[in-house]
Amino acid sequence: MKTKILFIAILGVFTNVFSQEEITSPNNHIKIEIEHDNELYLKVYLNNEELIEKVNPKMEFTGGISFGAGDKIKNPSTKTVDEEIEAVVPVKSKLIRDHYNLLKMSFKNYDFEVRVYNNGWAYRFVSKLKGEIEVLDEQMNLQLGKDYTCYLPEEESLISHFENYYEKLPTSVIENGTIAALPTLFTNEKGISFSVTESNLYDYPNLFLEKTENGFKSKFPKYVLKTQELKAGQDRLEAIEEAAPFIAKTKGKREFPWRVFMIAENDKEIIENNLVYQLASPLKLKDPSWIKPGKVAWDWWNANNVYNVDFESGINTETYKYYIDFASEFGLEYIILDEGWSKSTLNVMEPNEDINMEELTAYAEAKNVGIILWSLWRPLDENMEGLLSKYEAWGIKGVKVDFIQRADQYVTNFYERLAKSAADHHLLVDYHGGMKPSGMRRAYPNIINYEAVKGLENDKWEDFITPEHDLTIPFTRMTAGILDYTPGGMDNAHKENFAVRFDRPMTLGTRAHQIALYTIFEAPLQMLADTPSSYYENRESAEFISKIPVVWEETKVLDAKIGDYLIIARKNGDSWYVGAITDDSARTFEIDLSFLDGNRSYQLEWIEDGINSDKVAKDYAKKSAKLTSEDKIEIKMNKGGGWIGIFTR
């Protein structure tokens, strides 16, 4: 990381409690006014118009100590930083410009920091207290001032799988007390939006929002003292039996998480935002060179329903050798053994009687394919070193940890403890049934994915994973970071022909839409959800998917409208990949290719909706052409459709 610009200015020494400060973004579009009159109040302006009426941050501790109220300011100061961050596992950009203005307000027991970027702002408290402290509560009162449209990821409680649909509602009609997960997106009639989330979450509970009369306020899980014992026959119930009156017990001298507000003046800018990663702690691993992103053949979605084989399919050695053969043939880096591979869901130290793990891992190694194992989080929490040592000895390459559900301080610490221990054993980690990413993967890039999304698995029991849902996720959940949506279904249908089938699931939208998702969704571990047998029958589609990378050096959003359509161009090496999807409306776009490297010719290979894909969603066409950066192309999508092109230099 190289600092290009660094400027510090002392604003003055204040002895009174009241003060008023102002800080703007480097381009002066965003302005934050900070008032301190017994309490901190922040007002947010975009292009000189009020965006957020008031943000009131405060922290309270046992012993009567509080931050953000009744303190005298010592030395307010500002500085401008312009740095370049190089991502170890890049999913949006390899080189990220980190350009912001910082205001630091010093008080007796803490500092209050505000960073303002050209595409958002964030604040945090930095504690100077000594010893161990108990945080009674952290308050972030958000008064909107206007009636925004909210894309609401509602939660019934703070025990959750964090898989949300986003209901589009005026904030005025959301009932007081409604709980929202993060990120939560707010838009206005001018197409301006801001998204609320957090970054650099360590040793602290996950943040939720709760609806109030004038906006939203922060809400946190309490510090857990005791959980309920699992009853006979249960393996994954998460229930709190006793909680403390505080939310965290932690070190007195520390930085608390960033409260992040991503701002976009149009829908394209929402997806290009990278603030959660920029605000996170830098790399903590000494040598991340072993970390290998990639695509993975997945067994659970398709229920191991392989066919045209001479063995009985199931959770057994022969079936997984078949997956390994498929992965090897199509250049996939991994296969996953999901729930069922182990002796029981609570005994993940031994495989079931139908799996010979030593034979399987040796077979995979000979084929240059890695194996990832599924586990509930509780066994890993209770015997982390023993299990990870065993997996490493077997030659396993990663773990998919599932049904975490809680978001209190203990579980946040589990996320880091597992990431660190897994890195020591050269294992990747894929978090499932748990909270959204909050920047931890920057420090631990072996965190290869997070779920926290309503993905393709839901097609097994409902019909809500629609093209419109696919067009909401990039503007909402994906702004927090990587997501394990698990695309790749080959049995495609429109709603009138869709059937809910648990063991042989279908997908909504066209085949081209499904393939385009590999470029739309950011995931350094990208699954192929369907059965290898189905991919063999649809070889052309599978071969095209196998050519799409999972990491990107550069991302450009070419056109976008939340819930309606999205066109993204991403670069890997000398090639560009363009993915486009639409909702249930057919659309045509003309795209100029000026994003391509100039004075070069490219071979374009693309998949588009077939002429009859509005009737038979599996219908598609594969075409090719030679083009340059001076050309334009027409992207035509039928209802629920998509388009995916590879530009090879």
Side-chain angles (χ1 to χ4, degrees):
M1 182 186 297
K2 296 180 179 179
T3 302
K4 300 176 181 175
I5 303 170
L6 183 62
F7 172 73
I8 300 178
I10 302 300
L11 300 180
V13 178
F14 293 78
T15 56
N16 59 315
V17 173
F18 176 79
S19 72
Q20 185 170 10
E21 309 296 338
E22 180 181 298
I23 186 167
T24 63
S25 58
N27 64 6
N28 292 315
H29 287 202
I30 301 170
K31 180 176 70 175
I32 312 293
E33 290 181 353
I34 303 105
E35 294 183 2
H36 183 253
D37 186 4
N38 292 319
E39 288 191 340
L40 282 167
Y41 296 97
L42 294 86
K43 298 176 182 289
V44 184
Y45 298 86
L46 178 65
N47 297 324
N48 295 317
E49 291 188 15
E50 183 180 275
L51 185 67
I52 302 174
E53 181 181 64
K54 190 181 293 184
V55 179
N56 176 212
K58 187 177 179 181
M59 295 188 73
E60 296 177 339
F61 305 86
T62 55
I65 300 171
S66 64
F67 294 171
D71 297 310
K72 292 182 180 180
I73 300 174
K74 293 183 178 179
N75 295 318
S77 62
T78 64
K79 70 177 179 180
T80 297
V81 174
D82 195 348
E83 298 177 340
E84 193 173 73
I85 300 169
E86 183 172 352
V88 175
V89 179
V91 295
K92 205 182 295 286
S93 300
K94 177 72 173 176
L95 300 176
I96 304 162
R97 187 182 182 189
D98 194 40
H99 188 197
Y100 61 88
N101 291 330
L102 169 69
L103 170 66
K104 181 178 178 180
M105 301 171 68
S106 294
F107 300 86
K108 178 184 177 182
N109 291 321
Y110 66 96
D111 293 331
F112 183 72
E113 297 180 353
V114 180
R115 287 189 191 179
V116 190
Y117 296 78
N118 290 337
N119 58 353
W121 66 284
Y123 76 82
R124 71 176 175 186
F125 288 101
V126 179
S127 174
K128 304 174 187 176
L129 297 171
K130 297 178 180 179
E132 189 175 67
I133 57 175
E134 293 175 351
V135 184
L136 284 174
D137 195 18
E138 179 187 345
Q139 299 169 19
M140 183 183 72
N141 293 314
L142 176 64
Q143 295 184 27
L144 299 177
K146 301 174 184 177
D147 195 11
Y148 282 88
T149 296
C150 176
Y151 288 79
L152 178 71
E154 185 174 356
E155 295 283 9
E156 293 183 2
S157 77
L158 306 189
I159 300 287
S160 171
H161 292 287
F162 298 87
E163 299 170 19
N164 306 105
Y165 290 112
Y166 291 83
E167 190 174 4
K168 185 179 177 182
L169 295 168
T171 53
S172 59
V173 307
I174 300 172
E175 292 185 8
N176 292 346
T178 298
I179 300 170
L182 298 182
T184 303
L185 176 68
F186 301 89
T187 66
N188 67 15
E189 70 283 352
K190 295 181 179 180
I192 293 168
S193 68
F194 68 92
S195 184
V196 182
T197 191
E198 62 185 334
S199 182
N200 216 37
L201 176 63
Y202 290 97
D203 195 29
Y204 203 72
N206 177 85
L207 171 65
F208 296 81
L209 296 181
E210 181 180 342
K211 181 65 171 61
T212 64
E213 190 66 36
N214 299 316
F216 288 83
K217 67 178 182 179
S218 55
K219 188 177 183 66
F220 296 92
K222 297 292 188 181
Y223 184 90
V224 174
L225 297 174
K226 186 178 180 182
T227 58
Q228 288 184 2
E229 293 291 329
L230 292 175
K231 298 177 182 178
Q234 293 180 339
D235 62 357
R236 63 198 67 183
L237 176 69
E238 289 300 326
I240 308 303
E241 186 170 306
E242 186 180 356
F246 49 85
I247 64 171
K249 182 185 289 187
T250 185
K251 292 183 293 186
K253 190 174 182 180
R254 61 160 294 174
E255 299 164 342
F256 287 99
W258 287 104
R259 306 307 172 205
V260 185
F261 298 78
M262 296 175 274
I263 296 174
E265 297 189 46
N266 56 63
D267 289 353
K268 291 193 294 184
E269 292 180 359
I270 299 174
I271 294 170
E272 292 172 345
N273 199 297
N274 214 7
L275 286 186
V276 172
Y277 191 85
Q278 291 168 242
L279 287 158
S281 289
L283 182 67
K284 294 185 179 182
L285 303 184
K286 289 182 179 180
D287 177 19
S289 61
W290 60 272
I291 297 169
K292 184 180 179 181
K295 290 186 285 294
V296 52
W298 187 30
D299 56 343
W300 185 84
W301 191 77
N302 58 72
N304 284 297
N305 277 317
V306 303
Y307 47 91
N308 295 329
V309 296
D310 59 0
F311 58 86
E312 185 174 350
S313 65
I315 303 176
N316 56 48
T317 301
E318 288 303 312
T319 298
Y320 287 119
K321 281 186 175 181
Y322 181 70
Y323 276 84
I324 290 167
D325 289 340
F326 163 71
S328 178
E329 181 177 346
F330 284 81
L332 311 183
E333 289 79 2
Y334 302 101
I335 72 162
I336 190 165
L337 276 60
D338 213 293
E339 181 174 358
W341 74 267
S342 57
K343 196 154 227 177
S344 73
T345 55
L346 294 177
N347 177 5
V348 289
M349 181 70 82
E350 302 173 81
N352 72 41
E353 60 184 11
D354 295 321
I355 290 177
N356 185 318
M357 190 60 72
E358 287 81 2
E359 179 184 348
L360 199 60
T361 52
Y363 190 81
E365 184 177 4
K367 297 274 187 172
N368 198 30
V369 174
I371 294 177
I372 295 171
L373 295 181
W374 174 94
S375 174
L376 292 172
W377 85 278
R378 283 184 181 230
L380 277 166
D381 183 48
E382 293 166 359
N383 185 22
M384 188 174 293
E385 181 59 29
L387 286 170
L388 298 186
S389 295
K390 182 70 171 179
Y391 296 167
E392 183 183 26
W394 276 341
I396 300 302
K397 303 302 181 184
V399 291
K400 174 183 175 180
V401 54
D402 207 351
F403 290 94
I404 306 172
Q405 301 175 73
R406 285 165 46 192
D408 52 85
Q409 182 187 10
Y410 181 87
V411 170
T412 300
N413 289 342
F414 166 79
Y415 276 71
E416 184 183 17
R417 191 161 59 91
L418 178 59
K420 185 178 185 302
S421 184
D424 292 340
H425 294 280
H426 287 185
L427 294 169
L428 305 174
V429 182
D430 182 11
Y431 289 111
H432 268 248
M435 57 193 177
K436 91 288 176 202
S438 299
M440 193 179 288
R441 76 174 187 89
R442 183 177 169 193
Y444 302 97
N446 63 312
I447 298 177
I448 205 71
N449 223 342
Y450 286 80
E451 188 183 21
V453 66
K454 279 285 188 184
L456 210 67
E457 69 175 5
N458 292 268
D459 281 330
K460 292 165 72 76
W461 51 79
E462 59 191 11
D463 62 354
F464 300 146
I465 307 299
T466 63
E468 184 175 353
H469 173 70
D470 294 342
L471 278 154
T472 304
I473 293 170
F475 303 90
T476 51
R477 161 62 181 84
M478 199 169 78
T479 61
I482 53 180
L483 74 172
D484 202 359
Y485 174 98
T486 67
M490 294 288 101
D491 195 354
N492 321 109
H494 297 298
K495 202 142 192 172
E496 60 270 23
N497 305 122
F498 182 84
V500 173
R501 302 187 310 212
F502 189 85
D503 286 341
R504 299 182 64 187
M506 307 175 74
T507 72
L508 284 161
T510 69
R511 172 69 58 82
H513 180 105
Q514 194 65 208
I515 298 174
L517 295 179
Y518 284 92
T519 300
I520 298 294
F521 293 139
E522 294 167 359
L525 185 70
Q526 191 75 276
M527 296 204 187
L528 277 72
D530 218 324
T531 171
S533 304
S534 181
Y535 289 125
Y536 283 128
E537 285 188 346
N538 296 275
R539 179 174 287 273
E540 190 173 61
S541 295
E543 288 177 344
F544 202 95
I545 291 169
S546 72
K547 296 176 183 178
I548 303 171
V550 297
V551 291
W552 309 102
E553 295 167 19
E554 193 175 346
T555 293
K556 295 179 182 290
V557 180
L558 304 181
D559 209 345
K561 187 176 180 183
I562 303 172
D564 290 347
Y565 56 85
L566 176 58
I567 308 172
I568 291 182
R570 302 189 193 267
K571 187 179 183 182
N572 179 288
D574 290 332
S575 298
W576 282 88
Y577 302 76
V578 175
I581 55 174
T582 184
D583 61 2
D584 283 331
S585 297
R587 289 186 166 88
T588 300
F589 297 87
E590 185 179 71
I591 302 296
D592 78 63
L593 303 180
S594 58
F595 61 86
L596 297 174
D597 298 333
N599 303 317
R600 302 279 186 177
S601 64
Y602 286 80
Q603 180 72 30
L604 169 62
E605 182 182 51
W606 78 92
I607 282 179
E608 65 182 20
D609 291 324
I611 195 168
N612 293 306
S613 66
D614 57 338
K615 303 167 189 161
V616 180
K618 289 188 284 189
D619 186 33
Y620 74 92
K622 184 171 177 287
K623 299 180 180 179
S624 63
K626 287 185 178 180
L627 298 161
T628 72
S629 61
E630 296 179 356
D631 291 318
K632 296 181 179 180
I633 58 171
E634 183 180 81
I635 290 178
K636 183 178 181 181
M637 296 180 282
N638 287 344
K639 70 174 185 178
W643 190 98
I644 172 70
I646 301 174
F647 294 80
T648 305
R649 201 166 76 181

